[in-house]
Amino acid sequence: MLKLIIKSQKKKEVLDITDLINREISKQKVQSGLVNLFLTHTTAALTTADLDPGTDQDYLDAFEAIIPKLEYRHPHDASLTPDHILSALMGRSLTLLVENGH
């Protein structure tokens, strides 16, 4: 198992980690199999996407529209509740195929 730490620069941000994951697959000399990505943080999510210019902002705008503006009761920090909900909806894990080292 390999642990990677990826830090975002903004509260809401789409990060393309494709190159990072491909480098790790290459470093580990994986030719075929599965790679399982899992986030430990409950306000982040994983998905796949074609990130053409502007697509990241389209995603953020759509995600913002999905989550209702409510008076949340989260005891720790209610301002994080929409992020927890989005993370639960999208998911915090992703399993990808590796074939021929890619």
Side-chain angles (χ1 to χ4, degrees):
M1 184 168 84
L2 180 64
K3 180 179 179 178
L4 302 173
I5 298 173
I6 301 167
K7 295 186 178 190
S8 60
Q9 302 299 312
K10 303 174 188 171
K11 182 179 184 328
K12 296 190 186 265
E13 184 174 18
V14 174
L15 298 174
D16 185 348
I17 61 170
T18 305
D19 291 341
L20 174 64
I21 300 304
N22 282 332
R23 274 195 304 274
E24 291 302 325
I25 289 169
S26 180
K27 273 203 275 189
Q28 300 296 321
K29 298 181 177 20
V30 177
Q31 287 302 305
S32 65
L34 301 173
V35 60
N36 185 55
L37 306 174
F38 176 76
L39 300 172
T40 58
H41 203 284
T42 59
T43 61
L46 282 170
T47 190
T48 59
D50 287 326
L51 285 179
D52 293 327
T55 307
D56 57 342
Q57 193 58 51
D58 291 341
Y59 271 96
L60 293 174
D61 292 346
F63 298 151
E64 182 79 18
I66 290 170
I67 304 300
K69 309 290 186 256
L70 302 172
E71 289 188 35
Y72 295 107
R73 295 170 290 277
H74 189 291
H76 174 68
D77 182 351
S79 71
L80 295 176
T81 304
D83 302 323
H84 290 289
I85 293 169
L86 186 58
S87 176
L89 289 172
M90 289 183 65
R92 296 181 317 160
S93 67
L94 194 59
T95 301
L96 304 169
L97 297 173
V98 178
E99 187 173 82
N100 298 322
H102 300 286

